[in-house]
Each structure stands twice: as C-alpha cells, then as structure tokens.
Amino acid sequence: MKPVRRGNRPITDAEAFALRWRRVRRDLVGPVSRLYGGVCDHEALLERMRAMMEGHWAKRPAALKALDLWRDLDPEWFLSEEVAAYVFYVDRFCGTLKALPDRLGYLESLGVRYAHMMPLLQPRPGDSDGGYAVMDYRRIDPKLGTMRDFEAACAAMRERRISPCIDLVLNHTAEEHEWARKAREGDPHYQAFYRMYDDEAEPQAFEASLLEVFPEQAPGNFTWIDGIPGPNGGKWVWTTFNSFQWDLNWANPEVFLAILDTILHLANRGVEVFRLDAVAFMWKRMGTTCQNLPEVHDILQALTQATRVAAPAVIHKAEAIVGPRELVPYLGAGRHEGRASQLAYHNNLMVQFWSALASRDTRLMTHVMRTHFPERFRRAAFAPYIRCHDDIGWAITPEDTAHVPGMEAPAHRAFLADFYTGQFPGSFARGADFQSNPETGDRRTNGSFASLAGLETALEAGDPEAIDLAVRRILLGHALIASYGGVPLLYMGDELGLLNDHSYLDDPARAGDGRWMQRPAMDWERAAEAPDTDAPHGRIWRGTRAILATRAATPQLASHVGTRVLDAGEGVFAYERLAEDRPVTCLCNFTDGERLAHVPVPANAVDLLTGTAPKREGDAVRLAPYAALWLRA
C-alpha cells in the first residue's frame, strides 16, 4: 500500500498519531471526567494518557502500523461474514506456542479468521482459576513458552489472516502480582490499587447486597489477609472470585493507567483482540450487587477509544455473563453507542439454545431474543457461542417465563439443571452440577457440547439412531451461531464432537474444578480422520466446515446485517437476516420430529446449506428433526 500523503509528502507517524488523538479525544473526555473528575484533574489525566499512548505508538512495530492503516480504512473488518473464531487452550491444543504455527493450517482449513488463545499470561503457581489469576501481565506462562514465542505465533497468524486474541483479566490480579506484593508490604500507592479495609464493618455492609460467584469453594466476597501493615495486623481484601484473586480498585485513576499501559504493551507484541475478563464486576457501590454499574461502561469506552489511538488494529471483547437486560449495554447503548467494546459474548443465545433443546419448546427463546435485543448494533456485534471453557449459568428470569403459559423460572432452571446432568427421565445429556447454591436453589452445569447434546450417551448405548440425532443437535448449534449474527465462537474440539474428559480428577492441581470436564486435549488422530470417515467426528467436522464456508460466501450473514426474530410455530426458532439484497430466512427445528415452519419464504428460495429447495406443505416449510435451513431467493 502506498503511504498516505499530505500535500506533496507522505504523512508522518507523528502526524498520524496526532490525527487519531484529535479524532478520539472527544470520546474520551466524557467517560474520563465522569470516572475521575472528582478525584483528580481529568485534563491532566488525559494528558498523561496521551503521552503514554504516544510512547507506545513510537515503539509499535512497522508490520503492526501497516495493519493499523488497513483497519483505519476498514474499521468494521471484524463484522465480515468471513470472520469466524476458534477458542483453545494452547497446551491442550498443541502443547506450546512454538508448536502453534504448525497447527494453523488446521484452523485455516476450517475457515477460522480469529484465534482466541485461552489464558496464557503468567498465572500464580498452583490453583490459578484456570489461568485467570495472573501474577504478571507481561510474561507468558513458562509452560507455554516465552514472549518471543508468542510474538512469533502472532506473526504466523497474521500471515494467514488470522487475528490473535488473548484474555486480559480486568477485575483482579493474583495475590502474587507485583502490585499486590507491594500492597502487602505496606506501600500506600499500591494498596490504593486494591479494595482494602482495616476492619470488617464496611465489608459486612457491602456483603448485604452482594452475590457469590463460587459459593461452594469461595463463599463470600472478602478475605482477611494477615500481615498487611495496619492497626489490626492485617486487612480485609475484596476477593469476588477466590481468596487469591484480589479485586482492583478502578475508582483509582492509577489503576486505569496501569491497565491501559498493559493493553498497549501487549498490542505491540501482536495481540489484535483482547477478551476483557470479568468486566461486570469492576466498579463497586454500596447497596448494589456491584455488577453492571454505569461506570463499567465508561471504563470500557475509555479503554476502547484509547486503544484506537495507539493501536487502531485492536478491538475488545467484553466478557459479561449477565442477564438479557444487562447485556446489551456492553456493546454500547445511549451515549456509549458505537464507542464501547466491539464484541460481547451472547450468553443469552447460548442459554436459550440449551433451554429449547431440552424442552423441545422455542417459545421462551423466541420471546427473549426478540424482546431484549436490538436488530443490529453500531460498529459492534455479539459473539454467539454454544459452549466454552466455563460452566453454564441458567439465566432464566421470572419476567421472561411469565410470557410462556405454564412456565415458571425457578422450576425451569431446576428442570434444565436436572436434564443436563442426566437426572431428568428421558434426558439424552451427560453433564455435572457446578457451584450449587442451596440457599438460592441455583445450580450451574458443566459438560462438553457433544456430551450435553447426547453423543456420549448414544455412543455408550451403541444406538445408531441416537448417534444420528446427537450429531444433528451439534450441527444445529453450529448453524445457529454461524447465521444468527455476530462473530461465531467455535470452542476447541466441538468441531469433532469431543466428549467429557474426566482425567482432570487425576491431577491434584485441577481436581477441585469440575470445569476441566469440558476442556479435553485436542484429538489430532480424530482430526486427521475427520475429512474422510463416516464416524460421528467426521460427520460433525465436515458439517461444521461446510457451515462456516457457506457463511463466508454469504454477505447477508455479515455481522453488520440486522437480525429479526420471527414467529414460526411450535418447536421452531426462526429469524431473518435483514439484508437489502436478498434477505436470508433461517429456520431451526429444536425437536426430534418433523416440524412445519409457518413463515413467508419466496417461492424460488433455496437452502444455502444444501443447495436444494425446501420441502413445502402449503405456505409452510417442512423441517426434518433438528434441521437448520438458510433460505434465500
């Protein structure tokens, strides 16, 4: 690409930075002043931010600056129909970062354009909450390699047009982090990085309205830490997740600057997408649950806009596993529209998939997806998924079940928990409870996609019909996330139907965390067989590859195109992708029997997934069990 010219000469790096700063500053002033205007001179803080960003820009490698220019010209690159994501643990996928470049051909063959490497920054030793207790943001986990290995892997991905994504935990650090260590030693500057209290009066007042994340393994939200200098020989530390994960104090502008500095440092190492972990918990206010507070969205806008100045190629994905009403603002609403995180997990679509699959009833799914979510976002999109490394929380509210006659939220949540642990009569699923809370009755669920969808049970029974139905359920899920709108996230092994892995129980470092059940090691032998075998893993792999290839060839499925939920009839979830040129109507049968979808479809419509005309019965379209159709004239 020829350099941008100003007059008769190319624009300089310094001029490019100045232009970007001028463009973005207006979107920084509001959130920065609201967050920190009461504790410091926000103009001086903005100047410190500008100086920091300018320093990182000056050190940014030429190859990344070239990518910045491309993305400045195409800022909605991630909304392309060609962008699909693959999520994996490096050690479970290929062992080390050095080995990763040799496996990128596999991702390319699937049609992957975005690779999310699960936690790989240096964790604390021992239990690290699966890597989410980070003790050094600027080092790679030694078991996986070095920062140089990471940079080489990122460069190899860029050569294949695959965008590297990593996790950055924003709510907390490990207690072994340098900031926490200095706070423990009594350094007041770093004690202000955390929420620390000399006695239990204020923590108890906060607890009155707080929820528990890990009620079984880490009840409560505060931990007494002996030895921190103070009048009582220690301090209470806010620990939302585990006692070794200390919550950061985002009301302190120094925390904001330190995290922004970290983001820009890692962006210069080659990161193109940051998964911002546990963002819902960042701001604290007495008398609330300290989740999803307005200041969280100011923080996300400020981080996103600041990144656009010094690393325009980079986008952010918010990890906020919350209810429907709280989820939409993470993609920008009101004054944050088009200015906050570019991506956010669509956990509600995931929950509704599993709910409809168990109940064979799509009424709740249709209501939730139509009522709570806009048809499109400005410069942002959801990241829909079916499974991930984490448990499933059954986010079913009384307000929503009230719209489905005969359904009550507590009973439906209990039904889903029973169904997916195989306790409900007739269940095809094989999963396990996680973090049951006897006080609230809530139970979360672990299990791999394939095992929850019935493949494990069917294989054990040697039942060909049950195996076929399980494969159909899996491909239904992949077709849903590939067509609903947003960047589909495919979790490692789900394209092969990998089952629950119970080997974690033999590892003392992992045995206490049942979520390792859905984190099996990649089966490369099955992957090699998949293109040719008629075994379930071959059918699933080829079906998944065909779904992603069809998506990539269908502009109407791009993430900037709106999605409108339709009424289609019992057991069918239907939605239209609102392209101006030949919209696509998508139909999903969530039952094990044939169903009729009563939706208007052009007479000359063809199913894009099969290239054939749909079966019709009068004005309705007939769907096979667990079928997904993408119909376009």
Side-chain angles (χ1 to χ4, degrees):
M1 173 180 285
K2 294 182 178 179
V4 177
R5 303 185 73 86
R6 180 172 183 174
N8 293 320
R9 62 174 176 80
I11 191 170
T12 67
D13 274 359
E15 289 170 335
F17 177 85
L19 287 169
R20 288 175 178 136
W21 170 251
R22 189 179 311 137
R23 176 185 67 189
V24 165
R25 189 183 187 279
R26 62 180 178 267
D27 290 330
L28 284 171
V29 172
V32 169
S33 63
R34 287 190 294 271
L35 289 166
Y36 303 118
V39 296
C40 71
D41 180 345
H42 75 272
E43 290 289 347
L45 180 58
L46 283 166
E47 179 55 30
R48 289 178 66 190
M49 291 169 59
R50 189 204 62 77
M52 175 194 295
M53 290 184 277
E54 191 169 25
H56 282 288
W57 171 250
K59 294 183 287 188
R60 192 154 168 82
L64 295 177
K65 286 184 175 180
L67 185 62
D68 290 332
L69 181 55
W70 279 105
R71 301 237 168 116
D72 257 345
L73 297 173
D74 183 19
E76 297 185 354
W77 61 272
F78 60 95
L79 301 180
S80 167
E81 65 275 12
E82 295 182 2
V83 177
Y86 192 83
V87 184
F88 60 95
Y89 286 90
V90 171
D91 56 340
R92 313 293 281 171
F93 184 66
C94 59
T96 65
L97 285 165
K98 279 187 176 179
L100 181 55
D102 291 336
R103 295 297 190 183
L104 295 180
Y106 175 78
L107 300 185
E108 200 170 32
S109 71
L110 274 174
V112 170
R113 289 287 174 263
Y114 162 148
H116 177 182
M117 297 167 278
M118 295 293 286
L120 48 65
L121 300 179
Q122 185 170 0
R124 71 187 298 268
D127 184 3
S128 65
D129 188 24
Y132 289 100
V134 178
M135 65 178 291
D136 194 331
Y137 286 121
R138 302 198 178 203
R139 292 182 183 274
I140 298 296
D141 184 343
K143 296 193 300 292
L144 304 178
T146 65
M147 185 60 76
R148 182 169 293 181
D149 297 332
F150 175 73
E151 291 181 65
C154 289
M157 289 187 198
R158 281 198 306 278
E159 286 292 316
R160 295 178 181 264
R161 295 178 56 233
I162 296 174
S163 295
C165 171
I166 70 166
D167 295 86
L168 190 69
V169 184
L170 296 193
N171 179 68
H172 49 263
T173 73
E175 64 179 342
E176 291 83 1
H177 193 284
E178 180 185 16
W179 303 339
R181 179 176 55 78
K182 289 181 177 179
R184 191 192 290 265
E185 292 169 355
D187 186 327
H189 177 77
Y190 287 101
Q191 286 193 348
F193 270 47
Y194 299 93
R195 295 271 183 166
M196 295 185 166
Y197 307 89
D198 290 326
D199 59 49
E200 62 183 356
E202 201 166 347
Q204 285 185 344
F206 271 110
E207 284 282 19
S209 57
L210 296 178
L211 306 175
E212 293 180 318
V213 174
F214 294 138
E216 290 182 349
Q217 69 192 47
N221 290 273
F222 297 86
T223 301
W224 176 259
I225 305 295
D226 282 320
I228 300 178
N232 298 314
K235 290 181 183 289
W236 288 96
V237 177
W238 200 311
T239 55
T240 296
F241 289 82
N242 288 289
S243 61
F244 50 77
Q245 291 165 297
W246 291 11
D247 285 33
L248 288 166
N249 177 18
W250 279 90
N252 179 356
E254 298 301 323
V255 169
F256 178 90
L257 288 171
I259 294 296
L260 177 59
D261 189 44
T262 299
I263 288 173
L264 298 180
H265 171 82
L266 293 170
N268 280 1
R269 308 281 77 75
V271 178
E272 296 180 30
V273 184
F274 285 95
R275 174 192 181 272
L276 304 179
D277 184 71
V279 294
F281 301 88
M282 290 192 294
W283 200 265
K284 322 294 188 187
R285 181 176 297 118
M286 187 72 76
T288 73
T289 61
C290 296
Q291 294 184 40
N292 310 303
L293 293 174
E295 290 84 353
V296 168
H297 305 295
D298 278 330
I299 293 169
L300 293 176
Q301 176 173 325
L303 291 175
T304 298
Q305 296 305 313
T307 304
R308 289 183 64 210
V309 178
V314 172
I315 63 172
H316 295 307
K317 176 174 62 179
E319 187 263 347
I321 309 304
V322 297
R325 189 172 299 169
E326 294 82 18
L327 183 57
V328 170
Y330 284 94
L331 287 176
R335 63 190 176 197
H336 301 293
E337 185 180 7
R339 298 177 176 89
S341 307
Q342 291 92 343
L343 295 172
Y345 284 92
H346 208 330
N347 65 293
N348 293 113
L349 182 66
M350 177 271 297
V351 167
Q352 292 303 323
F353 169 83
W354 290 111
S355 171
L357 204 63
S359 63
R360 282 86 162 172
D361 186 340
T362 55
R363 289 176 298 168
L364 179 64
M365 186 178 195
T366 297
H367 167 75
V368 168
M369 301 312 299
R370 180 165 52 203
T371 303
H372 296 295
F373 302 102
E375 292 179 348
R376 56 169 57 86
F377 291 91
R378 181 183 171 206
R379 294 202 297 259
F382 277 120
Y385 65 103
I386 299 298
R387 283 302 289 121
C388 66
H389 70 292
D390 222 338
D391 57 279
I392 301 173
W394 300 112
I396 306 290
T397 68
E399 293 79 8
D400 288 326
T401 56
H403 292 270
V404 181
M407 183 180 289
E408 295 183 356
H412 191 59
R413 291 196 298 267
F415 159 69
L416 294 173
D418 283 345
F419 189 93
Y420 285 108
T421 55
Q423 299 175 52
F424 190 84
S427 168
F428 50 70
R430 188 72 61 83
D433 281 334
F434 182 70
Q435 296 299 323
S436 299
N437 189 329
E439 293 186 9
T440 65
D442 285 340
R443 295 150 56 199
R444 283 133 66 182
T445 302
N446 284 329
S448 75
F449 187 173
S451 292
L452 293 178
L455 186 58
E456 184 171 343
T457 301
L459 288 171
E460 286 185 3
D463 183 339
E465 182 178 353
I467 291 171
D468 179 67
L469 290 175
V471 170
R472 287 170 176 261
R473 294 183 195 109
I474 294 167
L475 293 178
L476 172 66
H478 291 327
L480 172 67
I481 63 172
S483 61
Y484 188 77
V487 178
L489 304 180
L490 185 66
Y491 184 64
M492 186 194 82
D494 285 351
E495 78 281 11
L496 294 168
L498 296 191
L499 306 178
N500 291 335
D501 178 13
H502 297 284
S503 67
Y504 77 95
L505 294 169
D506 300 323
D507 181 352
R510 297 185 294 151
D513 188 345
R515 291 173 298 178
W516 285 104
M517 175 187 295
Q518 58 256 15
R519 303 170 186 173
M522 184 61 172
D523 191 329
W524 288 108
E525 183 176 338
R526 285 177 179 260
E529 297 169 351
D532 303 306
T533 182
D534 289 328
H537 59 281
R539 292 177 57 197
I540 296 167
W541 187 87
R542 290 193 301 277
T544 303
R545 184 181 62 173
I547 287 167
L548 294 181
T550 304
R551 168 190 161 87
T554 308
Q556 292 86 352
L557 299 182
S559 299
H560 69 270
V561 177
T563 302
R564 178 173 298 159
V565 176
L566 309 172
D567 284 312
E570 182 183 355
V572 178
F573 181 60
Y575 45 99
E576 182 181 6
R577 301 305 307 279
L578 302 171
E580 294 182 5
D581 175 30
R582 296 193 297 166
V584 176
T585 299
C586 301
L587 307 175
C588 300
N589 180 2
F590 276 82
T591 77
D592 54 4
E594 291 191 347
R595 285 292 183 272
L596 292 177
H598 297 274
V599 294
V601 174
N604 61 341
V606 172
D607 176 22
L608 300 177
L609 291 171
T610 61
T612 62
K615 294 181 179 180
R616 296 177 181 268
E617 191 166 311
D619 293 334
V621 174
R622 180 169 290 280
L623 284 80
Y626 299 119
L629 276 64
W630 298 353
L631 302 175
R632 186 183 69 183

